[in-house]
Amino acid sequence: MVALIPYITAGDPDLPTTAEALKVLDSCGSDIIELGLPYSDPLADGPVIQAAATRLFARGTNFDAVISMLREVLPQLSCPVSLFSFYNPILKRGIGKFMTIIKDAGVQGALVSQMLGLVVPDVPLEETEILRMESSQNNIELVLLTTPTTPTDRMKSIVSASEGFVYLVSFVGVTGTRTDVSARVQTLLQDIKQIHLLD
């Protein structure tokens, strides 16, 4: 299955624009929208996302403001949203409290949550047990990552532990634009599909 999963940074250029962008991406046929939460030290992000984080923090955008915006806009979307957050903001609030907050942001009245998942790129598989337990208790799918350098046995473990979908990092290095995609990506996709079928 092929899915369109665009990424935007919450709060750049501002939260009203983010809300409108979510609606536009939804209306354009996105299968899932990945929404990056504000973080002051985005280690794996390239210059575009780092610059977005710098701008949004300069304007005072924070986690609580993003959650408030999501409470308003999620009921208007037909596609789910997967939040992208580094681990430190989750730990700062407490894992259980963080999960409850994002779960509650996806529910308004009797509407079903549009929140699909949570991507936490800086937590290795071996340290995801509590995250997986808390996300499962809150009906949030924890999306795990695999990379071009992930050994096959480890990839199997990641695919088995992932919920919803597996996030394939298609190149080694920070995020950003590329003029081409490594030929290895097709092989990696086939490997993940094969592992998933056997799981």
Side-chain angles (χ1 to χ4, degrees):
M1 177 181 156
V2 176
L4 173 61
I5 308 176
Y7 173 93
I8 60 173
T9 302
D12 186 48
D14 54 48
L15 287 173
T17 303
T18 300
E20 288 307 310
L22 288 168
K23 293 175 199 174
V24 168
L25 290 170
D26 180 48
S27 69
C28 288
S30 297
D31 295 294
I32 300 168
I33 301 169
E34 187 179 3
L35 183 66
L37 294 177
Y39 186 55
S40 59
D41 301 304
L43 304 174
D45 290 326
V48 172
I49 296 174
Q50 287 180 7
T54 299
R55 288 189 299 268
L56 68 90
F57 279 118
R59 280 187 299 283
T61 305
N62 60 38
F63 176 77
D64 293 332
V66 171
I67 293 300
S68 180
M69 178 272 302
L70 284 172
R71 282 191 185 103
E72 297 296 320
V73 76
L74 285 176
Q76 301 173 48
L77 303 180
S78 61
C79 78
V81 171
S82 188
L83 296 180
F84 183 102
S85 177
F86 287 93
Y87 199 32
N88 201 40
I90 297 170
L91 289 175
K92 179 181 175 185
R93 281 164 188 78
I95 297 170
K97 183 176 179 184
F98 180 90
M99 295 297 178
T100 300
I101 290 169
I102 66 172
K103 173 188 171 190
D104 291 347
V107 178
Q108 185 164 344
L111 295 174
V112 175
S113 172
Q114 286 296 334
M115 194 73 65
L116 167 74
L118 176 64
V119 179
V120 187
D122 57 340
V123 178
L125 175 64
E126 295 76 15
E127 296 179 27
T128 61
E129 184 177 342
I130 294 172
L131 271 175
R132 286 187 283 149
M133 181 186 68
E134 290 288 345
S135 61
S136 178
Q137 288 175 357
N138 286 283
N139 296 319
I140 296 166
E141 296 175 350
L142 183 64
V143 178
L144 302 178
L145 288 77
T146 186
T147 72
T149 60
T150 302
T152 303
D153 286 344
R154 183 172 180 76
M155 185 185 295
K156 288 177 183 176
S157 297
I158 290 168
V159 170
S160 293
S162 288
E163 298 174 353
F165 63 94
V166 177
Y167 192 118
L168 172 61
V169 177
S170 59
F171 52 86
V172 177
V174 297
T175 61
T177 58
R178 300 286 188 270
T179 55
D180 59 352
V181 177
S182 167
R184 175 120 169 84
V185 170
Q186 188 62 38
T187 303
L188 290 169
L189 288 171
Q190 290 171 349
D191 290 348
I192 290 170
K193 285 179 184 177
Q194 187 62 35
I195 292 166
H196 180 71
L197 290 173
L198 296 174
D199 193 31

